[in-house]
Amino acid sequence: MSNNIKTIIFDLGGVLIDWNPEYLYRKIFDNDESKMEWFLTEICPYSWNENQDAGKSWPLAIEEKVAEHPQYREWIEPYYYRWEEMLGGSLQGTVEILKKLIDSKKYQILALTNWSADTFPKALQHFEFLHWFDGIVVSGEENTRKPFHDIYQILFERYNVTPSEAIFIDDNTKNIEAGNELGLNCINFKSPTDLAEELKKYNVEI
């Protein structure tokens, strides 16, 4: 594989940060798994969350959802107003890999994340390593999201990235497929150990 890698691009959620609405809703529903699953499937599904990742205002989204299901207001509003309770912490093994790559000073280190513009500032306060990157493209700030090609192109143009000289790391298969279509070298993230092995295939030493 290519040994001419100049840029390494990280996804954030699921790769460096453990985020899951279930952490909050287990508390709200007192560990009633079936009720939580129903709510996160039928009332506030992940597809709804993606709208905010693509630039929609969270307060507006909450207002609209409450208007649609006024009887569930007390459960809907926490999705945004208690958002920080969905954070499970950092994936420390990946953070260690990130730190080594940055310390090597061999690569431009970027992040490309599907994240709401309303909540990303809170993440910046929680995770020191988010300040280590040479640049971060946040979907909610760009009014688009992965796997749509335009957000990748924004990153390429903003940070002068040549796809064939870059590695893209993401845990979402659709995002990886989009990266491949655009000529990126892609790693479908499974675990920090697996990531370290995959990077070696590109002659990227950890």
Side-chain angles (χ1 to χ4, degrees), residues 23-139:
Y23 295 143
L24 168 61
Y25 281 95
R26 280 198 179 92
K27 291 188 275 188
I28 288 174
F29 293 126
D30 197 24
N31 289 314
D32 185 331
E33 294 285 325
S34 61
K35 195 170 185 178
M36 177 188 71
E37 184 176 343
W38 161 78
F39 181 79
L40 294 176
T41 302
E42 301 298 329
I43 307 301
C44 292
Y46 186 71
S47 57
W48 175 66
N49 180 79
E50 287 182 324
N51 295 331
Q52 287 67 262
D53 284 350
K56 187 169 185 174
S57 154
W58 259 116
L60 176 59
I62 293 292
E63 180 183 327
E64 290 177 349
K65 184 64 74 172
V66 168
E68 185 181 348
H69 302 286
Q71 70 273 36
Y72 301 138
R73 172 188 291 272
E74 66 177 305
W75 299 339
I76 294 167
E77 289 183 340
Y79 204 108
Y80 172 56
Y81 295 105
R82 293 174 61 183
W83 174 85
E84 288 166 275
E85 293 175 61
M86 297 180 182
L87 294 172
S90 61
L91 300 176
Q92 195 54 40
T94 318
V95 175
E96 290 171 5
I97 290 172
L98 172 67
K99 181 71 162 57
K100 289 176 182 177
L101 291 171
I102 289 170
D103 287 347
S104 76
K105 302 187 186 303
K106 294 179 180 178
Y107 311 100
Q108 177 179 222
I109 307 295
L110 304 174
L112 177 60
T113 183
N114 282 357
W115 209 299
S116 158
D118 290 317
T119 58
F120 193 68
K122 299 177 185 179
L124 286 170
Q125 293 174 359
H126 271 270
F127 302 104
E128 173 61 29
F129 62 81
L130 292 179
H131 300 273
W132 301 350
F133 288 94
D134 295 309
I136 301 177
V137 171
V138 178
S139 63

Side-chain angles (χ1 to χ4, degrees), residues 130-189:
L130 292 179
H131 300 273
W132 301 350
F133 288 94
D134 295 309
I136 301 177
V137 171
V138 178
S139 63
E141 297 174 358
E142 308 298 338
N143 297 310
T144 184
R145 62 173 175 82
K146 297 176 289 184
F148 302 123
H149 287 189
D150 54 350
I151 195 166
Y152 297 80
Q153 297 291 354
I154 288 168
L155 180 135
F156 298 161
E157 292 169 14
R158 188 169 297 165
Y159 297 105
N160 196 28
V161 174
T162 301
S164 62
E165 296 176 348
I167 296 172
F168 173 53
I169 303 157
D170 200 298
D171 65 319
N172 185 305
T173 303
K174 290 182 180 179
N175 299 341
I176 290 293
E177 289 171 354
N180 282 325
E181 290 165 4
L182 291 167
L184 285 164
N185 301 287
C186 296
I187 296 174
N188 195 341
F189 180 83

